[in-house]
Amino acid sequence: MAENHTFQPWDYVVFALILFVSAAIGLFCAFKRGRTEHQTTEEFLLGNRQLSAYPIALSLASSFLSAITVIGNPAEVYSFGMMYLMFAFTWLLTMIATCLIYIPLFYRLNIISTYEYLNRRFGQLVRYQVVCCFMIYMFFYLGLVTYAPSLALSQVTGVNLWISIVTTALVCTVYTALGGIKAVVWTDVFQLCIMVISLLTVLIQGSIHVGGLNKIWNIGVNGGRINFLDFDPDPRRRHTFWTVLVGGTFGWTATYSCNQAQVQRYLACRSENEAKKALFLNWFAMIIVLTTACLCGLVMYAVYETCDPIKANKISNSNQLMPLLVVETLNQVPGVSGLFVAGAYCGTLSTISSGISAMAAVFVEDFIKPIWKPWEQLSNRMKTLVSKLLAMIFGLGTIGLAVIVSFLQGNIMQAALSVAGIIQGPILGVFTLAALFPKSNGKGAFLGLFVGLALSMWIGIAAQIYPPTDKFTKVLPTSISGCLPLNSTISTPTNVTSLLTYVTSLREEKR
């Protein structure tokens, strides 16, 4: 039996330092200008609309890449090939559509909440229909992204699961509630850098281990992993050029054009042109991260070309491949395991803080302001205090949501994640209807959203009950010809147990 790998002192040091720096950046943004900072809700929620395009671009990229990129994308390439890299083209189409249609619309209205536009266009009924959908989506999402990486950290290091969950929630809550959108943006910048560094570390060390990138590429070609040119028009196929182009474009447009967490950053830019600049810079940042992650997948295939860990029963699913690679081939380098876990963890911190900030903005602008009339008579200081208190409540509420998610395992957890995909498509339809069809009205929008949600739910639930067959998923072949004999097989390291047990379903939602 092989040595049971665990966190070494340097791993703890690296991980703790990265967590500390994230909190310190947020606190610095909160207190660098003294007591005069954040005198209004607009300053707290939008940074007084004075942020530069460069930090906003990195923040946009960080918020929705998360641990999916660090863990899921390399596993995707290992199992299905490099077709996933084609999402870079769908992102370009998404950025163009968002710049042409949605950014000008939201920016010129001078609003804080995206859903204020729906109130002006279709009335309160549609507004609250969409707002409730958004809040449900965020509640599920925040609970999952709080629980899953904490579970991973617990399994890797032995740290108590609930101590890890409370630490995650507190770190995000402190810098988001005190520092507002500026703290969220600048911590996102730092956390994206850590994600890239962790992936580059795996790529470089893995390349040295295998014998160079040229050898890795050749192994990928021989194993059928370099499969960009698949133009099969069958929409039932999992990933082809056409399914990625069409499905990916609509999926990511829903995220970038009408999700409050993203739109809030556009509105924080100092001008409409800066917002558009940030969006395209974000595209370049996402390509860098995606390319690095996909190359890590090729490294992983090169390492396990003749001994697939899943078939060898060393791990139970593909989401454990990246952690296995780290602890088996890179663990001899001090701090690499800690850096890798921190990379996945940073993406999660970014997503949680973005969600907290977005929910606070929506609750203030869509519930308190229009419903509670005395709000307008409150002082700016009191309004800001209420916004901070809401951010704190939502942040601490993620602990409760994580408790609920801890009871949702297996298919139930996957079904819960499907809520994100079910909700975002119909919401995009409502915003597009409002923007491009001037003769549409509130009744049509309300009915359309209701029917869209019903159909999406039907498809989403059916997909869980009747998963696609191998004929349509086309998992690429792997081998165990080079494995050790059965009686010498290495046992599963404790820290290879899934870093994120939900990544498979989360990746499916992003498709």
Side-chain angles (χ1 to χ4, degrees):
M1 184 178 293
E3 178 186 357
N4 191 28
H5 300 288
T6 57
F7 253 30
Q8 303 301 318
W10 274 110
D11 297 319
Y12 284 105
V13 170
V14 170
F15 182 81
L17 181 63
I18 289 170
L19 200 63
F20 172 78
V21 172
S22 293
I25 291 172
L27 293 175
F28 175 77
C29 292
F31 297 112
K32 68 176 180 177
R33 294 186 182 179
R35 297 181 181 178
T36 60
E37 182 70 350
H38 303 320
Q39 290 294 307
T40 67
T41 53
E42 185 167 298
E43 287 175 330
F44 179 74
L45 297 172
L46 295 180
N48 210 24
R49 303 181 192 266
Q50 291 299 313
L51 292 177
S52 162
Y54 296 100
I56 290 291
L58 298 182
S59 179
L60 286 169
S62 178
S63 294
F64 280 90
L65 285 177
S66 177
I68 307 165
T69 303
V70 179
I71 306 295
N73 286 10
E76 170 75 22
V77 172
Y78 180 91
S79 300
F80 301 100
M82 291 284 280
M83 179 57 73
Y84 199 85
L85 197 58
M86 291 294 100
F87 272 98
F89 293 103
T90 73
W91 291 342
L92 177 60
L93 297 177
T94 293
M95 305 311 159
I96 292 172
T98 304
C99 281
L100 291 178
I101 300 172
Y102 301 100
I103 286 182
L105 178 67
F106 295 134
Y107 208 96
R108 294 167 192 176
L109 288 172
N110 197 36
I111 56 179
I112 293 178
S113 168
T114 316
Y115 312 110
E116 291 180 65
Y117 168 63
L118 293 181
N119 186 60
R120 301 182 189 185
R121 184 68 178 79
F122 291 137
Q124 285 195 348
L125 187 61
V126 175
R127 175 190 195 175
Y128 287 115
Q129 187 186 24
V130 174
V131 166
C132 289
C133 288
F134 169 77
M135 296 296 277
I136 291 171
Y137 158 61
M138 290 306 300
F139 274 125
F140 272 104
Y141 197 62
L142 287 181
L144 289 166
V145 299
T146 303
Y147 174 74
S150 299
L151 177 63
L153 183 61
S154 172
Q155 293 171 336
V156 172
T157 66
V159 175
N160 182 274
L161 171 64
W162 297 105
I163 291 177
S164 180
I165 286 174
V166 170
T167 302
T168 305
L170 286 179
V171 168
C172 290
T173 299
V174 166
Y175 71 72
T176 305
L178 294 179
I181 191 66
K182 286 185 179 179
V184 171
V185 167
W186 283 108
T187 51
D188 283 352
V189 171
F190 170 73
Q191 288 156 3
L192 182 67
C193 291
I194 296 300
M195 289 171 63
V196 173
I197 290 170
S198 68
L199 287 169
L200 282 174
T201 301
V202 173
L203 177 60
I204 293 170
Q205 291 293 329
S207 299
I208 294 171
H209 178 81
V210 173
L213 282 175
N214 187 54
K215 183 177 180 181
I216 289 169
W217 187 265
N218 289 334
I219 292 173
V221 171
N222 294 332
R225 265 62 187 176
I226 314 301
N227 54 353
F228 299 112
L229 304 178
D230 187 347
F231 293 96
D232 186 346
D234 189 342
R236 296 171 297 174
R237 282 283 309 282
R238 185 175 177 277
H239 274 172
T240 67
F241 177 83
W242 300 112
T243 56
V244 168
L245 187 69
V246 177
T249 299
F250 281 101
W252 281 97
T253 301
T255 296
Y256 270 85
S257 63
C258 55
N259 187 297
Q260 175 67 25
Q262 299 294 74
V263 175
Q264 195 168 336
R265 286 163 174 71
Y266 311 149
L267 300 177
C269 289
R270 56 181 63 137
S271 69
E272 183 182 324
N273 287 334
E274 281 284 293
K276 292 178 179 179
K277 179 180 176 182
L279 195 59
F280 279 102
L281 289 173
N282 149 79
W283 179 58
F284 287 109
M286 290 177 73
I287 288 176
I288 291 171
V289 177
L290 177 66
T291 303
T292 308
C294 288
L295 289 175
C296 285
L298 286 183
V299 169
M300 194 155 56
Y301 177 70
V303 171
Y304 298 120
E305 178 192 13
T306 59
C307 187
D308 176 44
I310 300 174
K311 289 182 178 179
N313 294 320
K314 295 169 70 175
I315 56 176
S316 59
N317 63 70
S318 63
N319 301 315
Q320 298 171 341
L321 283 165
M322 194 70 165
L324 179 67
L325 177 71
V326 172
V327 299
E328 282 198 341
T329 63
L330 311 179
N331 201 44
Q332 69 274 17
V333 182
V336 169
S337 294
L339 180 62
F340 172 74
V341 174
Y345 210 81
C346 277
T348 301
L349 289 173
S350 170
T351 304
I352 295 172
S353 61
S354 301
I356 292 171
S357 180
M359 291 175 77
V362 167
F363 203 87
V364 168
E365 296 298 319
D366 293 303
F367 287 102
I368 296 179
K369 247 172 129 177
I371 295 173
W372 192 47
K373 299 304 179 186
W375 172 263
E376 296 301 332
Q377 278 136 47
L378 295 178
S379 65
N380 285 331
R381 184 175 178 274
M382 185 58 67
K383 290 178 181 177
T384 306
L385 186 61
V386 171
S387 300
K388 291 183 176 183
L389 182 61
L390 284 170
M392 187 170 294
I393 290 171
F394 287 127
L396 296 177
T398 58
I399 299 174
L401 295 171
V403 172
I404 295 172
V405 167
S406 68
F407 295 103
L408 304 176
Q409 300 295 331
N411 292 334
I412 299 176
M413 193 172 186
Q414 187 172 342
L417 270 170
S418 297
V419 172
I422 290 169
I423 287 175
Q424 288 195 97
I427 289 178
L428 173 64
V430 171
F431 276 98
T432 305
L433 182 72
L436 300 182
F437 298 90
K439 292 187 178 181
S440 59
N441 56 40
K443 291 180 180 179
F446 179 86
L447 183 61
L449 180 58
F450 180 81
V451 173
L453 287 170
L455 290 174
S456 295
M457 189 172 297
W458 173 52
I459 294 171
I461 294 173
Q464 305 303 321
I465 299 173
Y466 304 104
T469 63
D470 293 342
K471 175 183 176 182
F472 300 114
T473 57
K474 291 199 174 181
V475 180
L476 294 174
T478 53
S479 171
I480 55 172
S481 61
C483 292
L484 294 172
L486 184 60
N487 57 3
S488 302
T489 301
I490 299 173
S491 63
T492 305
T494 55
N495 59 337
V496 176
T497 306
S498 177
L499 262 174
L500 292 175
T501 57
Y502 72 110
V503 172
T504 298
S505 53
L506 197 52
R507 294 206 329 263
E508 293 297 331
E509 295 308 321
K510 289 300 179 184
R511 292 175 195 132

